[in-house]
Amino acid sequence: SQQGEEDPQALSIQEGENATMNCSYKTSINNLQWYRQNSGRGLVHLILIRSNEREKHSGRLRVTLDTSKKSSSLLITASRAADTASYFCATDAATGGGNKLTFGTGTQLKVEL
Amino acid sequence: NAGVTQTPKFRVLKTGQSMTLLCAQDMNHEYMYWYRQDPGMGLRLIHYSVGEGTTAKGEVPDGYNVSRLKKQNFLLGLESAAPSQTSVYFCASSRPGLAVIQETQYFGPGTRLLVL
């Protein structure tokens, strides 16, 4: 079963606005990662936050993690049309080896000019 | 470096036919993975490998087999395709370890498979 559920499923904003996506998961994790997928392409890693971290920044990205609520959020500030893509959270439960990830269902972000 | 490549890009099969999807990576990664992506389902892990000659089942392994005869290649086989296997298949690779760069997975461009 899916580990992560994302909210909202779809988000449409104007260029320059901020976009916030949320992810909830079910079990204890080692880390949580966010990936981006442009239409018809493979996934690209954006940022990783470990279970002992609460917030992380990378450029226009800000990720928070609340392990007590088993949830994470991804904030994209000052969005651009090029940010239009699907965004997925993925959790590493650190069980069974192999750095296996369990992906959420994704948020489709559309940034309009 | 080409990164992770997948062949073919697109394939149409009839029910009952077999095929093999090829994944190749030139980053000397130990770990490789096969996922399927269906609308509204995100990515689900089919099989994975932690090294040459080793494979393990993921979340949805039924109907698929894999082989990792060479470190750089990971093959996904469908012995008797079914319409339920219509999907987009992604291969990924990563290194073992606990550094961020090692836990990141690098994805191929995907193979679209239609089973009629």
Side-chain angles (χ1 to χ4, degrees), chain A residues 29-49:
Chain A
I29 61 172
N30 185 40
N31 67 64
L32 185 145
Q33 303 179 34
W34 286 89
Y35 286 79
R36 184 177 93 173
Q37 183 181 35
N38 289 87
S39 181
R41 310 289 285 272
L43 279 72
V44 175
H45 179 262
L46 293 176
I47 193 166
L48 178 152
I49 186 166

Side-chain angles (χ1 to χ4, degrees), chain B residues 13-44:
Chain B
L13 287 180
K14 295 181 180 179
T15 296
Q17 288 185 319
S18 63
M19 79 164 293
T20 300
L21 284 68
L22 171 64
C23 175
Q25 52 93 5
D26 61 2
M27 297 174 283
N28 201 34
H29 285 171
E30 289 290 334
Y31 296 167
M32 296 188 75
Y33 315 84
W34 275 108
Y35 295 91
R36 60 178 289 173
Q37 184 178 31
D38 303 293
M41 296 292 290
L43 276 76
R44 292 181 291 169

Side-chain angles (χ1 to χ4, degrees), chain A:
Chain A
S1 62
Q2 296 294 125
Q3 165 76 306
E5 297 293 331
E6 289 170 72
D7 169 57
Q9 287 186 322
L11 179 61
S12 182
I13 59 174
Q14 298 294 312
E15 198 172 47
E17 294 181 336
N18 296 341
T20 299
M21 291 158 255
N22 303 295
C23 168
S24 61
Y25 57 92
K26 297 176 182 175
T27 64
S28 296
I29 61 172
N30 185 40
N31 67 64
L32 185 145
Q33 303 179 34
W34 286 89
Y35 286 79
R36 184 177 93 173
Q37 183 181 35
N38 289 87
S39 181
R41 310 289 285 272
L43 279 72
V44 175
H45 179 262
L46 293 176
I47 193 166
L48 178 152
I49 186 166
R50 299 195 183 283
S51 59
N52 62 352
E53 297 176 313
R54 292 297 168 257
E55 187 171 314
K56 203 157 186 183
H57 296 256
S58 177
R60 294 185 295 112
L61 304 180
R62 172 178 169 257
V63 171
T64 61
L65 179 65
D66 186 335
T67 54
S68 67
K69 295 182 179 178
K70 292 186 170 58
S71 67
S72 174
S73 66
L74 172 68
L75 169 67
I76 304 174
T77 60
S79 63
R80 305 166 182 168
D83 294 328
T84 294
S86 292
Y87 292 82
F88 295 89
C89 66
T91 52
D92 179 352
T95 57
N99 289 356
K100 298 190 302 295
L101 296 177
T102 304
F103 284 83
T105 51
T107 293
Q108 288 187 324
L109 173 65
K110 183 176 182 180
V111 182
E112 299 185 88
L113 296 170

